[in-house]
Amino acid sequence: MFGNILSDAEIIRLRDSHLLTLEPFDVKRLKIAHYKLAPRTVWTPVTTIDGKPSKRQEHNFEDEAQFVFQPNAYHLFEVEETVLLPDGVVANFVPVSEFALRGFSLVAGMLDAGYGKLAGRTQKLFFGVKNLLDEKNMFDRNFGLAHMSIVSLTGASLLRQELSKAELGRLAGRDPERWRRANDDGVFYPQ
């Protein structure tokens, strides 16, 4: 078994006991087995002169509830909520159904146990959103962004994951910031 998806009551219990941070929290976005995340800011991915990935802010949903995508455009969406997961808990994401109806696609991953703090700073959560249409497309903040399911692995049998020397070598060759982000509690790095 791959753990248990937390119910609405369990999510509230974890929040109330300060084991899970989900702020700001709107009980109207809490469903039986997920929480609907909202967008805060739209960014455009860019490459700096030295070839490093970066981003440029395009839109703030606090100022205007709608954002117009150009045809086939791709943007990064910063999530309004701050999410900090305790040990033994992970999160998965599914796009809101409005995306399929409106011609948008969501690029999302998974949050590992312990996600939310890195080097003493709160981590921001980003998703990629693509306009799949060959015409302009209106994104409305009220669509929401993604449904976050929170999965508890506590009590589940877990194997410690180790990287081979070849995998370590490939990771070590990445830029230092990327290496720091990859070096989390999800994988054991032998000394």
Side-chain angles (χ1 to χ4, degrees):
M1 176 179 223
F2 181 70
N4 296 304
I5 295 175
L6 298 183
S7 70
D8 50 0
E10 291 166 323
I11 292 169
I12 288 173
R13 184 182 56 77
L14 279 178
R15 272 192 76 252
D16 289 349
S17 63
H18 305 288
L19 295 174
L20 166 73
T21 300
L22 181 54
E23 297 295 335
F25 182 77
D26 182 350
V27 74
K28 290 180 272 187
R29 290 197 225 152
L30 181 62
K31 303 301 177 195
I32 193 166
H34 69 269
Y35 185 86
K36 187 177 185 179
L37 298 170
R40 171 180 287 159
T41 312
V42 179
W43 301 79
T44 297
V46 296
T47 304
T48 62
I49 292 174
D50 57 358
K52 293 185 178 178
S54 187
K55 58 189 178 302
R56 176 183 67 242
Q57 185 172 337
E58 294 290 333
H59 183 79
N60 188 328
F61 285 105
E62 292 174 2
D63 299 332
E64 175 66 41
Q66 295 180 328
F67 174 73
V68 178
F69 271 78
Q70 294 303 309
N72 296 299
Y74 177 82
H75 293 284
L76 298 173
F77 276 52
E78 181 182 340
V79 173
E80 178 179 75
E81 292 83 5
T82 298
V83 179
L84 292 112
L85 297 177
D87 289 338
V89 174
V90 298
N92 296 309
F93 305 99
V94 176
V96 296
S97 57
E98 197 71 29
F99 274 38
L101 300 172
R102 304 274 182 169
F104 290 107
S105 177
L106 182 76
V107 178
M110 176 178 182
L111 297 184
D112 290 325
Y115 175 86
K117 287 282 188 189
L118 185 62
R121 293 181 20 207
T122 301
Q123 292 175 284
K124 294 180 179 179
L125 182 56
F126 288 89
F127 295 118
V129 178
K130 167 99 174 152
N131 175 13
L132 300 173
L133 304 181
D134 291 330
E135 57 192 51
K136 289 182 180 180
N137 200 353
M138 180 72 69
F139 183 93
D140 191 295
R141 181 187 199 288
N142 295 319
F143 296 164
L145 196 51
H147 300 294
M148 177 175 66
S149 293
I150 301 172
V151 179
S152 174
L153 300 173
T154 56
S157 298
L158 301 174
L159 297 175
R160 188 172 197 143
Q161 301 296 315
E162 293 190 34
L163 296 178
S164 69
K165 289 188 182 222
E167 290 169 321
L168 281 171
R170 282 193 300 275
L171 282 175
R174 293 181 174 177
D175 84 46
E177 174 64 21
R178 180 65 183 104
W179 168 253
R180 188 170 60 80
R181 287 195 320 262
N183 190 10
D184 60 26
D185 293 331
V187 178
F188 172 68
Y189 299 93
Q191 299 298 325

